[in-house]
Amino acid sequence: MTDLGESHAKSGLDIGPELYELWLSALVNTVAENDPKFDAELDAAWREVANHGISVMLSMHDDD
């Protein structure tokens, strides 16, 4: 996650913090469309795990 955080930081690709929620929604929607066993519990699990990584990446966004 550190490598991704560095590459997405302001000093790298400068991926804005506002884009992470859009990305996560797109990811979860894709899983929902392709997994017939998708349910609210699985939705929550995907979001919980992804948000841990997103938090690391966001914490590095302003670091140069």
Side-chain angles (χ1 to χ4, degrees):
M1 288 312 319
T2 302
D3 288 343
L4 280 174
E6 289 174 357
S7 71
H8 286 63
K10 188 173 278 190
S11 61
L13 297 170
D14 194 16
I15 305 298
E18 71 280 1
L19 297 176
Y20 288 95
E21 183 58 37
L22 294 172
W23 174 83
L24 181 55
S25 292
L27 173 67
V28 173
N29 287 338
T30 300
V31 173
E33 290 173 7
N34 291 284
D35 184 352
K37 295 181 180 179
F38 187 85
D39 60 11
E41 185 178 348
L42 195 52
D43 181 296
W46 271 96
R47 290 178 186 279
E48 180 181 353
V49 170
N51 276 320
H52 286 293
I54 289 170
S55 293
V56 170
M57 294 171 72
L58 288 174
S59 73
M60 300 177 72
H61 186 262
D62 291 327
D63 293 348
D64 291 74

